[in-house]
Amino acid sequence: MILHASCIAHSGRGLLILGPSGSGKSTLALELMAFGAALVADDRTILNVRQGRIIADAPDSIRGRIEARGVGILNAQAHGPVELALAVDLERPEPDRLPPDRHIELMDCRLPLVLGAGQVHLAPMLLQYLIAGRADTDMHGR
């Protein structure tokens, strides 16, 4: 499956960045990269399921490339395949201060989901989630 999405990796865990065109997927990926994350894929992300886990990777044609709107296509060190640990949806805002444990179903697998449209300081919050998880769930979002 190929999704119109971006993906980064940090601490061996992948973040799938979802949203419509122009919602800031590449911009969020660049911000996360500035905090030490590595680029897996920009704009198109390949998803495969292996042993009940979702693995994300980039198509060869765009591996190690990321769009910086108004600047151009930039080179980036490519991370390679990573197991997804979290997804963020840049189309929907989070209405709750302390949201419920949300999930998205992809390829018959359940993945924790953060609603991120308009969220200030989203990048550091997502990195901390990747590093340590939510306090009310285990590291796999269960």
Side-chain angles (χ1 to χ4, degrees):
M1 167 188 275
I2 298 180
L3 285 182
H4 179 222
S6 295
C7 183
I8 59 90
H10 192 281
S11 303
R13 298 162 53 83
L15 169 67
L16 185 66
I17 305 170
L18 303 165
S21 184
S23 63
K25 295 180 298 296
S26 298
T27 300
L28 178 58
L30 283 163
E31 188 174 0
L32 289 160
M33 290 163 60
F35 284 119
L39 179 67
V40 176
D42 182 48
D43 195 48
R44 290 180 293 152
T45 301
I46 298 171
L47 300 181
N48 291 296
V49 176
R50 295 184 198 148
Q51 299 175 339
R53 300 178 192 278
I54 305 172
I55 308 299
D57 199 3
D60 288 336
S61 61
I62 61 168
R63 188 177 308 280
R65 305 278 191 269
I66 186 165
E67 178 184 349
R69 196 172 289 241
V71 176
I73 306 297
L74 303 178
N75 292 314
Q77 183 174 356
H79 182 278
V82 68
E83 180 182 339
L84 291 180
L86 180 62
V88 60
D89 182 346
L90 297 181
E91 183 173 24
R92 297 186 290 165
E94 176 55 66
D96 300 321
R97 180 178 177 187
L98 296 174
D101 190 20
R102 299 185 194 283
H103 290 84
I104 186 172
E105 293 284 331
L106 291 171
M107 302 172 67
D108 296 324
C109 294
R110 193 170 183 232
L111 190 64
L113 176 68
V114 170
L115 305 181
Q119 181 68 269
V120 178
H121 308 300
L122 185 59
M125 290 185 281
L126 293 171
L127 283 178
Q128 187 59 34
Y129 193 121
L130 288 175
I131 292 166
R134 277 180 53 148
D136 57 346
T137 62
D138 69 20
M139 284 291 288
H140 300 288
R142 295 180 205 139

